[in-house]
Amino acid sequence: KRQRDLGVFLRQRVAQAFREGENTQIADPETCDRMYESLVRIHTNYYKNKYPRLKDTSFTGLTVEDYKMILATDILKQMEDMKKGTWKKLREKFSAKKPEEDSK
């Protein structure tokens, strides 16, 4: 899930907030502590464990594996390509230079 991953997003935000590492001055320590505790709960799957699901499917009947496949970046790109109109596809196909033309 390139550029759509929660872990990547959180790591970037933490790195941005603590650019100076341990020397970073925290304006509101209480808020920082609450955010840290929230991140710990996400990391440890606190609510997933506290409220276990009875079934591993949703109302659609799809499983977690089905959703992972559907939401994969490559599949989403293919779906976007399918949404393009015929003229747009043709224009993109013929407007790009072909590699053999560059070598002539």
Side-chain angles (χ1 to χ4, degrees):
K1 297 181 186 176
R2 288 172 236 123
Q3 299 176 355
R4 299 181 297 122
D5 187 90
L6 178 62
V8 171
F9 173 78
L10 291 175
R11 281 188 288 278
Q12 289 172 346
R13 291 291 305 268
V14 169
Q16 181 183 18
F18 294 93
R19 284 185 285 268
E20 298 173 25
E22 292 181 13
N23 297 329
T24 302
Q25 296 297 317
I26 300 171
D28 188 359
E30 291 179 14
T31 300
C32 185
D33 289 342
R34 284 197 311 272
M35 287 181 178
Y36 175 76
E37 293 301 323
S38 294
L39 290 172
V40 167
R41 285 191 297 274
I42 290 171
H43 175 71
T44 60
N45 289 322
Y46 175 80
Y47 291 105
K48 179 182 178 186
N49 297 328
K50 184 175 180 177
Y51 304 106
R53 297 178 60 113
L54 300 176
K55 297 180 180 179
D56 287 334
T57 61
S58 66
F59 73 96
T60 62
L62 297 175
T63 64
V64 173
E65 290 78 24
D66 295 334
Y67 282 116
K68 285 181 181 179
M69 184 185 75
I70 291 168
L71 295 174
T73 302
D74 297 335
I75 299 296
L76 292 176
K77 179 156 177 32
Q78 287 177 4
M79 290 175 68
E80 283 297 319
D81 290 343
M82 288 172 43
K83 288 181 186 176
K84 290 181 183 176
T86 304
W87 289 112
K88 189 170 184 176
K89 286 181 191 175
L90 288 171
R91 187 171 54 230
E92 287 176 358
K93 182 177 180 179
F94 291 110
S95 68
K97 281 188 172 182
K98 295 180 181 176
E100 61 268 4
E101 290 177 358
D102 290 337
S103 62
K104 290 183 180 178

